[in-house]
Amino acid sequence: MNATESPRLTVIGTGYLGATHAICMAVLGFEVVGVDVDQRKIEKLASGEVPFFEPGLPELLSKALESGRLRFTTSFEEAAKFGDVHFVCVGTPQRPGSDAADLTYVDAAVRALAPHLDRRVLVVGKSTVPVGTAARLTGVLHELAPAGEEVELAWNPEFLREGFAVDDTMRPDRLVFGVASDWADERLRAAFKPVLDLGTPVVRTDLATAELVKVAANSFLATKISYINAMAEVCEAVGADIKDLADSLALDDRIGGKFLKPGLGFGGGCLPKDIRAFAHRAEEIGVGQAVSFLREVDDINRRRRARTVDLVRELLGGQISGKRIAAWGAAFKPNSDDIRDAPALDVARTMHGLGGHVRVFDPAALDNARRAYPELRYGESALNAAEDADVVVLLTEWSDFREIEPDALAQVVRHKRIVDGRHALDAARWRAAGWEYRALGRSL
Ligand SMILES: NC(=O)c1ccc[n+]([C@@H]2O[C@H](COP(=O)([O-])OP(=O)(O)OC[C@H]3O[C@@H](n4cnc5c(N)ncnc54)[C@H](O)[C@@H]3O)[C@@H](O)[C@H]2O)c1
């Protein structure tokens, strides 16, 4: 096959990233096979059901299946026969008991695919991995694939945001191609042709740089969030106002307002584990000092969770035990059902552990939260969770919560007290309606 011809694609690992990639690529006109070891997930996807919450994706899955261009399988043999370009999108979670990334799944996927690769194909890593992984996996592929060194590995880090995953995949702000040859670059350009035709900028680079771009980007974003939250700690100490401070910084073009929102901090399946894995990897390769600040970024972030619990305690007059607490939010961010390392659930569980009667509500993540933390109680709606509450704590900034009127909420609670963990509400409006309003980094 000519390097510039349209390739047939496989996507290995059909979670948040892989399912989105497979579906969008099929919608863009490619023949795609999605592969996963989770039989149930594959059955769901094949029957037209997206196994997680992502706006716009269910409609695109139906469209892709109807087109006949998208199939799902658990067979690596079938995938290898079919595909010219294989995207590896499996998870790289934090290794239990360590800050390092767990590469078990990436290794397993490559080792399952390689023995079936008997012709010249491109394997493309999209998972977030420690620098050096691609070089090592190149060796594994060459050793295990019948086609040997004909099989090439490239790295194409993914920057999609859950909640905006479809748009970010169809119209990314940039593509990074970590390649070892012109052939790999041409294959990738063919695999992203419709996206490149939109004028999307491409950075062509080496494998190590491509791996680093992703962790560097996430480290920067995490640092920005923790920076403003560190300022919130200072504001709290002197009675200054973090909201006004953040707004003032955001007006400076050189700083900008994105990721400069004070509050409960970051969580999810990427930022926390990525900065830890980066710091760990940097120590392994002898440059730990260069990114040791990421440990502090992590600590600042964790302190916000503890401080949110303190605020609730203060508002309740010093005692959480026995109090009814409505916890609004479970997902790590709005427009997602992802509860991996979710700050909201961390806070809810701490308050539960301190004897609070916590009732959680989330517009999309309730099922996931229930499964993971059956010890917590759950409401059927934001207002239902707030019935007879001594305090309402907003932990994830869903617009559903923002749109609730102070007077409507006042009808159901026992006490008009609210802790705004995300600076999502208009403080003046809530106070004018008779509420005791508290937020991190703001004075009374
Ligand atoms: N979720 C995001 O927003 C996002 C964004 C950018 C990058 N990433 C990175 O993408 C990767 C995947 O993240 P995710 O959020 O999609 O994870 P996920 O846990 O939702 O999905 C991983 C999938 O891989 C499957 N899998 C595991 N082992 C496998 C194997 N050997 N063969 C085939 N499939 C296998 C799992 O069953 C699961 O469906 C991670 O490295 C993550 O850091 C994620």
Side-chain angles (χ1 to χ4, degrees):
M1 178 184 250
N2 186 312
T4 54
E5 259 175 56
S6 185
R8 299 205 295 190
L9 312 179
T10 80
V11 177
I12 300 166
T14 55
Y16 285 94
L17 162 56
T20 308
H21 189 64
I23 294 165
C24 290
M25 284 303 189
V27 169
L28 289 174
F30 292 95
E31 302 266 335
V32 184
V33 167
V35 190
D36 206 290
V37 288
D38 184 337
Q39 177 83 39
R40 275 191 44 222
K41 200 172 267 189
I42 286 297
E43 281 166 10
K44 273 194 180 170
L45 284 162
S47 71
E49 187 187 336
V50 177
F52 51 89
F53 178 87
E54 182 59 47
L57 201 57
E59 295 81 348
L60 289 192
L61 174 59
S62 307
K63 197 168 154 188
L65 289 172
E66 273 162 30
S67 74
R69 287 193 299 270
L70 179 61
R71 291 188 289 119
F72 292 94
T73 183
T74 55
S75 162
F76 280 87
E77 193 180 351
E78 186 185 336
K81 272 208 186 96
F82 174 86
D84 305 308
V85 173
H86 302 277
F87 287 101
V88 177
C89 300
V90 300
T92 48
Q94 189 171 337
R95 197 187 294 163
S98 162
D99 279 350
D102 183 351
L103 296 176
T104 320
Y105 308 101
V106 171
D107 272 87
V110 169
R111 285 174 184 279
L113 180 71
H116 305 289
L117 299 176
D118 55 9
R119 62 193 159 90
R120 191 174 194 193
V121 294
L122 184 67
V123 178
V124 184
K126 276 187 102 52
S127 303
T128 304
V129 292
V131 60
T133 305
R136 181 176 63 76
L137 291 176
T138 301
V140 174
L141 277 172
H142 289 171
E143 187 194 325
L144 298 182
E149 296 193 6
E150 290 244 289
V151 174
E152 265 198 54
L153 184 67
W155 219 265
N156 164 231
E158 177 60 56
F159 304 101
L160 70 77
R161 298 160 300 166
E162 287 173 26
F164 304 93
V166 169
D167 219 41
D168 288 348
T169 305
M170 306 283 239
R171 281 173 288 277
D173 45 17
R174 84 289 214 188
L175 290 167
V176 176
F177 293 166
V179 291
S181 73
D182 288 341
W183 179 79
D185 181 51
E186 279 165 27
R187 287 273 69 192
L188 271 172
R189 283 176 193 274
F192 282 99
K193 186 169 184 308
V195 178
L196 294 175
D197 286 348
L198 299 173
T200 309
V202 180
V203 178
R204 174 183 168 165
T205 184
D206 55 84
L207 294 170
T209 307
E211 292 169 315
L212 277 174
V213 168
K214 176 64 190 175
V215 286
N218 275 358
S219 298
F220 187 81
L221 297 174
T223 301
K224 225 178 153 189
I225 297 171
S226 278
Y227 176 81
I228 201 64
N229 283 334
M231 295 305 111
E233 286 189 24
V234 177
C235 284
E236 276 160 25
V238 296
D241 190 284
I242 190 59
K243 191 81 177 14
D244 290 347
L245 188 141
D247 288 349
S248 308
L249 293 186
L251 289 168
D252 184 331
D253 272 353
R254 296 168 303 174
I255 299 174
K258 288 185 180 161
F259 280 70
L260 205 70
K261 304 269 183 295
L264 182 48
F266 58 83
C270 288
L271 255 49
K273 61 108 174 152
D274 287 351
I275 61 167
R276 289 170 204 154
F278 188 21
H280 181 93
R281 182 66 182 141
E283 280 156 19
E284 274 178 358
I285 54 184
V287 287
Q289 206 179 8
V291 293
S292 61
F293 67 92
L294 291 176
R295 304 278 184 207
E296 195 55 48
V297 165
D298 202 6
D299 287 347
I300 293 165
N301 193 54
R302 291 182 215 243
R303 285 204 295 273
R304 291 291 82 186
R305 301 179 186 193
R307 179 69 191 124
T308 300
V309 175
D310 289 346
L311 258 192
V312 176
R313 189 191 286 106
E314 282 167 32
L315 194 53
L316 287 170
Q319 182 83 299
I320 283 186
S321 178
K323 295 289 165 52
R324 290 162 175 265
I325 303 168
W328 278 0
F332 85 98
K333 67 170 182 179
N335 299 317
S336 173
D337 66 349
D338 195 344
I339 58 160
R340 290 177 286 186
D341 202 348
L345 283 171
D346 213 359
V347 169
R349 285 165 59 220
T350 304
M351 295 188 303
H352 171 78
L354 291 169
H357 300 300
V358 182
R359 196 156 2 144
V360 180
F361 175 73
D362 188 282
L366 265 193
D367 289 348
N368 283 344
R370 253 197 208 107
R371 255 194 307 276
Y373 306 110
E375 70 274 20
L376 295 176
R377 294 196 306 150
Y378 296 91
E380 278 146 32
S381 66
L383 288 181
N384 172 254
E387 266 170 31
D388 290 329
D390 294 305
V391 61
V392 176
V393 192
L394 191 158
L395 298 166
T396 311
E397 65 276 36
W398 283 94
S399 55
D400 309 46
F401 301 144
R402 262 201 238 116
E403 283 158 12
I404 287 177
E405 292 295 325
D407 288 342
L409 189 59
Q411 302 293 314
V412 302
V413 297
R414 187 184 296 175
H415 291 286
K416 293 204 275 180
R417 301 183 187 122
I418 191 154
V419 171
D420 181 1
R422 295 292 183 179
H423 293 265
L425 306 174
D426 181 343
R429 199 162 151 249
W430 283 75
R431 283 182 177 144
W435 284 76
E436 285 181 81
Y437 171 97
R438 301 292 299 274
L440 296 162
R442 303 196 85 172
S443 47
L444 289 175

mmCIF file of all heavy atoms in Angstrom, residues 65-90:
data_model
loop_
_atom_site.group_PDB
_atom_site.id
_atom_site.type_symbol
_atom_site.label_atom_id
_atom_site.label_comp_id
_atom_site.label_asym_id
_atom_site.label_seq_id
_atom_site.Cartn_x
_atom_site.Cartn_y
_atom_site.Cartn_z
ATOM 1 N N LEU A 65 -22.169 3.387 13.023
ATOM 2 C CA LEU A 65 -22.588 1.989 12.847
ATOM 3 C C LEU A 65 -23.455 1.855 11.594
ATOM 4 O O LEU A 65 -23.295 0.911 10.814
ATOM 5 C CB LEU A 65 -23.347 1.494 14.082
ATOM 6 C CG LEU A 65 -22.496 1.286 15.350
ATOM 7 C CD1 LEU A 65 -23.386 0.993 16.553
ATOM 8 C CD2 LEU A 65 -21.461 0.184 15.165
ATOM 9 N N GLU A 66 -24.347 2.820 11.405
ATOM 10 C CA GLU A 66 -25.216 2.780 10.210
ATOM 11 C C GLU A 66 -24.407 2.855 8.923
ATOM 12 O O GLU A 66 -24.752 2.237 7.917
ATOM 13 C CB GLU A 66 -26.203 3.954 10.225
ATOM 14 C CG GLU A 66 -27.477 3.651 10.988
ATOM 15 C CD GLU A 66 -28.214 4.925 11.351
ATOM 16 O OE1 GLU A 66 -28.108 5.926 10.612
ATOM 17 O OE2 GLU A 66 -28.891 4.910 12.411
ATOM 18 N N SER A 67 -23.314 3.578 8.950
ATOM 19 C CA SER A 67 -22.495 3.730 7.733
ATOM 20 C C SER A 67 -21.816 2.415 7.350
ATOM 21 O O SER A 67 -21.330 2.260 6.236
ATOM 22 C CB SER A 67 -21.416 4.796 7.951
ATOM 23 O OG SER A 67 -20.395 4.275 8.798
ATOM 24 N N GLY A 68 -21.747 1.474 8.319
ATOM 25 C CA GLY A 68 -21.073 0.203 8.055
ATOM 26 C C GLY A 68 -19.558 0.302 8.137
ATOM 27 O O GLY A 68 -18.846 -0.662 7.889
ATOM 28 N N ARG A 69 -19.062 1.481 8.506
ATOM 29 C CA ARG A 69 -17.602 1.662 8.541
ATOM 30 C C ARG A 69 -17.000 1.334 9.904
ATOM 31 O O ARG A 69 -15.788 1.317 10.044
ATOM 32 C CB ARG A 69 -17.238 3.110 8.160
ATOM 33 C CG ARG A 69 -17.407 3.424 6.688
ATOM 34 C CD ARG A 69 -16.745 4.749 6.334
ATOM 35 N NE ARG A 69 -17.335 5.851 7.070
ATOM 36 C CZ ARG A 69 -18.370 6.567 6.647
ATOM 37 N NH1 ARG A 69 -18.920 6.303 5.476
ATOM 38 N NH2 ARG A 69 -18.845 7.547 7.375
ATOM 39 N N LEU A 70 -17.848 1.097 10.922
ATOM 40 C CA LEU A 70 -17.324 0.871 12.273
ATOM 41 C C LEU A 70 -17.759 -0.491 12.807
ATOM 42 O O LEU A 70 -18.953 -0.823 12.792
ATOM 43 C CB LEU A 70 -17.828 1.973 13.221
ATOM 44 C CG LEU A 70 -17.386 1.883 14.680
ATOM 45 C CD1 LEU A 70 -15.859 1.970 14.801
ATOM 46 C CD2 LEU A 70 -18.030 2.992 15.500
ATOM 47 N N ARG A 71 -16.775 -1.282 13.256
ATOM 48 C CA ARG A 71 -17.069 -2.587 13.871
ATOM 49 C C ARG A 71 -16.276 -2.687 15.162
ATOM 50 O O ARG A 71 -15.295 -1.956 15.362
ATOM 51 C CB ARG A 71 -16.620 -3.734 12.963
ATOM 52 C CG ARG A 71 -17.406 -3.901 11.697
ATOM 53 C CD ARG A 71 -17.005 -5.182 10.977
ATOM 54 N NE ARG A 71 -15.679 -5.136 10.380
ATOM 55 C CZ ARG A 71 -14.672 -5.949 10.699
ATOM 56 N NH1 ARG A 71 -14.814 -6.860 11.643
ATOM 57 N NH2 ARG A 71 -13.500 -5.870 10.092
ATOM 58 N N PHE A 72 -16.684 -3.643 16.000
ATOM 59 C CA PHE A 72 -15.962 -3.856 17.256
ATOM 60 C C PHE A 72 -15.632 -5.333 17.415
ATOM 61 O O PHE A 72 -16.397 -6.198 16.980
ATOM 62 C CB PHE A 72 -16.805 -3.373 18.442
ATOM 63 C CG PHE A 72 -16.969 -1.881 18.462
ATOM 64 C CD1 PHE A 72 -18.094 -1.289 17.877
ATOM 65 C CD2 PHE A 72 -16.010 -1.067 19.021
ATOM 66 C CE1 PHE A 72 -18.243 0.090 17.870
ATOM 67 C CE2 PHE A 72 -16.151 0.314 19.022
ATOM 68 C CZ PHE A 72 -17.272 0.899 18.449
ATOM 69 N N THR A 73 -14.510 -5.628 18.053
ATOM 70 C CA THR A 73 -14.110 -7.022 18.243
ATOM 71 C C THR A 73 -13.237 -7.144 19.494
ATOM 72 O O THR A 73 -12.709 -6.134 19.994
ATOM 73 C CB THR A 73 -13.312 -7.532 17.022
ATOM 74 O OG1 THR A 73 -12.994 -8.910 17.207
ATOM 75 C CG2 THR A 73 -12.013 -6.770 16.834
ATOM 76 N N THR A 74 -13.078 -8.376 19.968
ATOM 77 C CA THR A 74 -12.092 -8.629 21.029
ATOM 78 C C THR A 74 -10.900 -9.405 20.451
ATOM 79 O O THR A 74 -10.006 -9.791 21.198
ATOM 80 C CB THR A 74 -12.717 -9.441 22.190
ATOM 81 O OG1 THR A 74 -13.284 -10.634 21.640
ATOM 82 C CG2 THR A 74 -13.784 -8.652 22.932
ATOM 83 N N SER A 75 -10.920 -9.628 19.135
ATOM 84 C CA SER A 75 -9.874 -10.451 18.517
ATOM 85 C C SER A 75 -8.734 -9.596 17.949
ATOM 86 O O SER A 75 -8.926 -8.800 17.019
ATOM 87 C CB SER A 75 -10.495 -11.299 17.390
ATOM 88 O OG SER A 75 -9.471 -11.773 16.541
ATOM 89 N N PHE A 76 -7.556 -9.784 18.511
ATOM 90 C CA PHE A 76 -6.378 -9.065 18.009
ATOM 91 C C PHE A 76 -5.964 -9.587 16.636
ATOM 92 O O PHE A 76 -5.415 -8.856 15.818
ATOM 93 C CB PHE A 76 -5.216 -9.183 19.006
ATOM 94 C CG PHE A 76 -5.353 -8.227 20.160
ATOM 95 C CD1 PHE A 76 -6.077 -8.577 21.284
ATOM 96 C CD2 PHE A 76 -4.777 -6.974 20.103
ATOM 97 C CE1 PHE A 76 -6.218 -7.694 22.337
ATOM 98 C CE2 PHE A 76 -4.912 -6.070 21.155
ATOM 99 C CZ PHE A 76 -5.646 -6.437 22.274
ATOM 100 N N GLU A 77 -6.243 -10.865 16.401
ATOM 101 C CA GLU A 77 -5.908 -11.459 15.108
ATOM 102 C C GLU A 77 -6.716 -10.764 14.009
ATOM 103 O O GLU A 77 -6.179 -10.358 12.970
ATOM 104 C CB GLU A 77 -6.213 -12.958 15.147
ATOM 105 C CG GLU A 77 -5.621 -13.704 13.993
ATOM 106 C CD GLU A 77 -5.931 -15.191 14.043
ATOM 107 O OE1 GLU A 77 -6.461 -15.670 15.076
ATOM 108 O OE2 GLU A 77 -5.652 -15.867 13.036
ATOM 109 N N GLU A 78 -8.004 -10.626 14.274
ATOM 110 C CA GLU A 78 -8.893 -9.955 13.311
ATOM 111 C C GLU A 78 -8.439 -8.509 13.094
ATOM 112 O O GLU A 78 -8.382 -8.024 11.964
ATOM 113 C CB GLU A 78 -10.324 -9.990 13.883
ATOM 114 C CG GLU A 78 -11.387 -9.479 12.963
ATOM 115 C CD GLU A 78 -12.753 -9.430 13.671
ATOM 116 O OE1 GLU A 78 -12.970 -10.184 14.656
ATOM 117 O OE2 GLU A 78 -13.589 -8.613 13.247
ATOM 118 N N ALA A 79 -8.097 -7.843 14.203
ATOM 119 C CA ALA A 79 -7.662 -6.446 14.116
ATOM 120 C C ALA A 79 -6.400 -6.335 13.266
ATOM 121 O O ALA A 79 -6.270 -5.455 12.414
ATOM 122 C CB ALA A 79 -7.417 -5.889 15.515
ATOM 123 N N ALA A 80 -5.456 -7.261 13.499
ATOM 124 C CA ALA A 80 -4.178 -7.201 12.777
ATOM 125 C C ALA A 80 -4.372 -7.449 11.290
ATOM 126 O O ALA A 80 -3.727 -6.799 10.456
ATOM 127 C CB ALA A 80 -3.212 -8.222 13.363
ATOM 128 N N LYS A 81 -5.263 -8.370 10.952
ATOM 129 C CA LYS A 81 -5.545 -8.653 9.537
ATOM 130 C C LYS A 81 -6.110 -7.416 8.851
ATOM 131 O O LYS A 81 -5.781 -7.100 7.721
ATOM 132 C CB LYS A 81 -6.594 -9.778 9.432
ATOM 133 C CG LYS A 81 -5.990 -11.151 9.422
ATOM 134 C CD LYS A 81 -6.898 -12.134 8.661
ATOM 135 C CE LYS A 81 -6.341 -13.530 8.791
ATOM 136 N NZ LYS A 81 -6.960 -14.308 9.867
ATOM 137 N N PHE A 82 -6.976 -6.713 9.592
ATOM 138 C CA PHE A 82 -7.723 -5.605 9.022
ATOM 139 C C PHE A 82 -6.899 -4.319 8.891
ATOM 140 O O PHE A 82 -6.931 -3.632 7.877
ATOM 141 C CB PHE A 82 -8.949 -5.347 9.912
ATOM 142 C CG PHE A 82 -9.744 -4.142 9.542
ATOM 143 C CD1 PHE A 82 -10.736 -4.215 8.569
ATOM 144 C CD2 PHE A 82 -9.516 -2.915 10.161
ATOM 145 C CE1 PHE A 82 -11.473 -3.101 8.221
ATOM 146 C CE2 PHE A 82 -10.238 -1.792 9.816
ATOM 147 C CZ PHE A 82 -11.225 -1.887 8.849
ATOM 148 N N GLY A 83 -6.153 -3.982 9.935
ATOM 149 C CA GLY A 83 -5.651 -2.624 10.056
ATOM 150 C C GLY A 83 -4.331 -2.330 9.363
ATOM 151 O O GLY A 83 -3.436 -3.170 9.309
ATOM 152 N N ASP A 84 -4.224 -1.083 8.872
ATOM 153 C CA ASP A 84 -2.956 -0.574 8.350
ATOM 154 C C ASP A 84 -2.295 0.338 9.383
ATOM 155 O O ASP A 84 -1.079 0.452 9.440
ATOM 156 C CB ASP A 84 -3.192 0.244 7.068
ATOM 157 C CG ASP A 84 -3.943 -0.575 6.027
ATOM 158 O OD1 ASP A 84 -3.504 -1.696 5.731
ATOM 159 O OD2 ASP A 84 -4.985 -0.091 5.528
ATOM 160 N N VAL A 85 -3.144 1.013 10.160
ATOM 161 C CA VAL A 85 -2.656 1.870 11.244
ATOM 162 C C VAL A 85 -3.421 1.470 12.508
ATOM 163 O O VAL A 85 -4.656 1.453 12.515
ATOM 164 C CB VAL A 85 -2.893 3.370 10.919
ATOM 165 C CG1 VAL A 85 -2.535 4.234 12.117
ATOM 166 C CG2 VAL A 85 -2.062 3.785 9.704
ATOM 167 N N HIS A 86 -2.674 1.121 13.558
ATOM 168 C CA HIS A 86 -3.286 0.651 14.816
ATOM 169 C C HIS A 86 -3.049 1.687 15.911
ATOM 170 O O HIS A 86 -1.901 1.925 16.291
ATOM 171 C CB HIS A 86 -2.653 -0.672 15.252
ATOM 172 C CG HIS A 86 -2.761 -1.762 14.232
ATOM 173 N ND1 HIS A 86 -3.884 -2.546 14.103
ATOM 174 C CD2 HIS A 86 -1.879 -2.201 13.282
ATOM 175 C CE1 HIS A 86 -3.688 -3.425 13.122
ATOM 176 N NE2 HIS A 86 -2.486 -3.238 12.612
ATOM 177 N N PHE A 87 -4.120 2.290 16.420
ATOM 178 C CA PHE A 87 -3.986 3.265 17.502
ATOM 179 C C PHE A 87 -4.112 2.557 18.852
ATOM 180 O O PHE A 87 -5.109 1.871 19.099
ATOM 181 C CB PHE A 87 -5.089 4.326 17.400
ATOM 182 C CG PHE A 87 -4.888 5.297 16.272
ATOM 183 C CD1 PHE A 87 -5.598 5.162 15.090
ATOM 184 C CD2 PHE A 87 -3.991 6.351 16.395
ATOM 185 C CE1 PHE A 87 -5.423 6.059 14.045
ATOM 186 C CE2 PHE A 87 -3.806 7.253 15.361
ATOM 187 C CZ PHE A 87 -4.519 7.107 14.185
ATOM 188 N N VAL A 88 -3.139 2.747 19.718
ATOM 189 C CA VAL A 88 -3.189 2.147 21.058
ATOM 190 C C VAL A 88 -3.709 3.200 22.044
ATOM 191 O O VAL A 88 -3.060 4.232 22.266
ATOM 192 C CB VAL A 88 -1.793 1.641 21.488
ATOM 193 C CG1 VAL A 88 -1.840 1.076 22.906
ATOM 194 C CG2 VAL A 88 -1.290 0.585 20.497
ATOM 195 N N CYS A 89 -4.891 2.920 22.602
ATOM 196 C CA CYS A 89 -5.574 3.902 23.461
ATOM 197 C C CYS A 89 -5.931 3.315 24.827
ATOM 198 O O CYS A 89 -6.907 3.732 25.446
ATOM 199 C CB CYS A 89 -6.856 4.388 22.786
ATOM 200 S SG CYS A 89 -6.583 5.183 21.197
ATOM 201 N N VAL A 90 -5.174 2.337 25.299
ATOM 202 C CA VAL A 90 -5.513 1.676 26.571
ATOM 203 C C VAL A 90 -5.120 2.571 27.744
ATOM 204 O O VAL A 90 -4.369 3.538 27.593
ATOM 205 C CB VAL A 90 -4.841 0.290 26.689
ATOM 206 C CG1 VAL A 90 -5.288 -0.619 25.564
ATOM 207 C CG2 VAL A 90 -3.322 0.412 26.708
#
